[in-house]
Amino acid sequence: MLSVQIDAFSYQNEATLKDISFEVDKGEHMALIGESGSGKSTLLKIIYGLLHIENGHVLWGNKQALGPNFNLVPGESYMKYLAQDFDLMPFTTVAENIGQHLSVFDKENHTARIQELLLLIELEDFAKTKVKNLSGGQQQRVALARVLAQEPELLLLDEPFGHIDNFKRNSLRRNLFPYLKEKGITVLTASHDPNDVLPYADRTIVLENGKIIANQKTKKLYQNPPNYYTASLFGEVNEVPIRMLKSYAAIDKSVLVYPHEFQVSETSGLKVVVTNSFFKGSHYLNECEEAQGIVLYFNSQKKLKQGEAVFLNVSLETINSRLQVEQGTDSERTSV
């Protein structure tokens, strides 16, 4: 188990992290999400040992991970870190870059292991290509193979697919994360992309201004986000006053509604006027305004015309799951 406790951490005299405390079970995949500057990369660097903390600890089981004040070479033998800069050897081949990080005590298996990792990162045809001749996305995949070479117990990934084209990114995710789960490797992934998180992370930590504001199972966090900030990290979201959905309600609160959760009607519900309709492939994302000028977003299967009026509804189940009210108010909840 990974145990992280950071009372406070400042970088260049600016507070970066505060009151950080969490644990990650062996073999668990934990995602770290938050806006730029929220502390994701700093947290990974502390865990790996690139930054020193005065008040706190990083433990892997009973072993303490030590920082740069104790280790000349950062990191521990059981841990690997994929940073946003790749630190590759540009004038050697892809296979040589990977092989450089394999154990010298297992040379007879080097060729097979290199081939396994080349297949994982989908670069088997580039084994003899010098790294300097690869694209940025291909170099990021080589860097990933290098940190996996000796099968670490704990893997830290900082925006692991940021330089990779979408069409390769999707297949690489499908290769990598099940592979890590099968091997029982504990993973922390810092990412801006919900596609790195929703299908693969067992649990997700949300960071805002250097503090943890949520730590839940990923599916539960997405279905019932605690606030607008958290929901917005997964994509477009609406914050809708409950009285707009239930005009007779005595509840002076708002609910978070994802665009796909609005049901479109031609006859009844919250009346809105379409201002834009954006093609998203499987559906259209529509921007609209209601009578008071509040802008909302909802999905539809067909393109809607600018100026077209429609009615939006939200299911009672969705409303009840989002409302954070006292238990005594539950009896007042009715369908929209």
Side-chain angles (χ1 to χ4, degrees):
M1 175 185 288
L2 174 69
S3 175
V4 178
Q5 176 71 48
I6 304 170
D7 297 334
F9 177 80
S10 296
Y11 186 70
Q12 295 180 344
N13 296 321
E14 184 175 340
T16 307
L17 296 172
K18 187 176 181 181
D19 300 327
I20 300 295
S21 179
F22 64 91
E23 294 180 341
V24 187
D25 290 334
K26 182 173 174 56
E28 186 177 18
H29 182 176
M30 171 77 83
L32 303 173
I33 63 174
E35 63 185 350
S36 296
S38 60
K40 302 186 301 296
S41 295
T42 300
L43 180 53
L44 290 184
K45 289 175 182 177
I46 289 173
I47 294 171
Y48 187 60
L50 290 170
L51 299 173
H52 176 71
I53 51 171
E54 291 289 342
N55 301 306
H57 64 254
V58 176
L59 298 175
W60 177 247
N62 295 322
K63 296 178 286 189
Q64 183 168 0
L66 301 175
N69 288 15
F70 300 91
N71 289 334
L72 290 176
V73 179
E76 305 287 345
S77 60
Y78 53 81
M79 185 190 316
K80 292 296 179 183
Y81 171 51
L82 178 63
Q84 295 185 46
D85 54 325
F86 309 141
D87 191 28
L88 299 173
M89 298 181 293
F91 298 102
T92 59
T93 67
V94 169
E96 288 168 338
N97 264 272
I98 298 172
Q100 185 73 20
H101 287 258
L102 293 171
S103 172
V104 296
F105 302 107
D106 192 28
K107 287 188 175 181
E108 63 273 16
N109 294 318
H110 278 199
T111 301
R113 180 61 175 158
I114 290 171
Q115 185 62 24
E116 177 186 0
L117 291 170
L118 287 171
L119 288 170
L120 180 69
I121 63 172
E122 300 181 5
L123 282 179
E124 56 270 27
D125 294 335
F126 294 82
K128 297 182 180 179
T129 302
K130 290 186 177 181
V131 165
K132 70 182 182 71
N133 296 322
L134 299 178
S135 69
Q138 290 170 327
Q139 290 183 18
Q140 188 166 32
R141 287 147 67 188
V142 176
L144 177 60
R146 282 185 17 154
V147 298
L148 289 174
Q150 292 192 38
E151 257 182 44
E153 296 176 57
L154 174 60
L155 180 62
L156 311 176
L157 302 174
D158 193 356
E159 300 289 348
F161 311 114
H163 295 266
I164 299 172
D165 293 334
N166 267 333
F167 79 98
K168 277 295 182 185
R169 190 182 302 178
N170 291 330
S171 62
L172 187 57
R173 288 188 192 105
R174 291 193 294 267
N175 288 345
L176 175 64
F177 290 129
Y179 171 87
L180 297 174
K181 181 65 70 173
E182 180 184 345
K183 296 290 185 179
I185 297 172
T186 305
V187 184
L188 268 72
T189 302
S191 178
H192 286 94
D193 191 340
N195 293 310
D196 294 342
V197 178
L198 285 172
Y200 306 108
D202 301 309
R203 200 150 43 94
T204 297
I205 282 177
V206 181
L207 288 168
E208 184 178 22
N209 297 324
K211 293 184 178 181
I212 294 176
I213 64 167
N215 178 357
Q216 291 185 16
K217 295 286 187 182
T218 301
K219 184 177 180 181
K220 181 179 180 181
L221 185 66
Y222 173 78
Q223 291 175 335
N224 290 294
N227 50 43
Y228 181 88
Y229 172 79
T230 297
S232 69
L233 296 173
F234 294 115
E236 203 70 61
V237 67
N238 303 281
E239 191 167 19
V240 189
I242 190 66
R243 287 176 178 170
M244 285 174 53
L245 302 173
K246 300 193 300 182
S247 60
Y248 46 83
I251 306 171
D252 186 19
K253 297 183 75 71
S254 296
V255 289
L256 299 172
V257 182
Y258 294 114
H260 72 271
E261 293 175 321
F262 276 123
Q263 300 159 358
V264 182
S265 169
E266 296 180 355
T267 57
S268 64
L270 173 63
K271 185 177 180 180
V272 297
V273 176
V274 175
T275 54
N276 278 298
S277 190
F278 306 99
F279 181 60
K280 301 289 285 184
S282 62
H283 63 277
Y284 286 86
L285 175 67
N286 303 285
E287 182 184 71
C288 65
E289 285 189 13
E290 57 80 54
Q292 300 176 38
I294 296 178
V295 176
L296 299 173
Y297 295 88
F298 68 95
N299 292 349
S300 66
Q301 290 303 307
K302 65 178 183 178
K303 182 178 177 66
L304 300 180
K305 296 178 181 178
Q306 186 175 1
E308 183 174 353
V310 297
F311 297 89
L312 302 180
N313 296 283
V314 181
S315 72
L316 174 64
E317 180 183 5
T318 298
I319 293 174
N320 284 347
S321 69
R322 302 283 161 75
L323 276 174
Q324 301 296 314
V325 294
E326 295 182 2
Q327 185 173 357
T329 314
D330 289 348
S331 60
E332 299 174 11
R333 295 175 181 169
T334 56
S335 59
V336 175

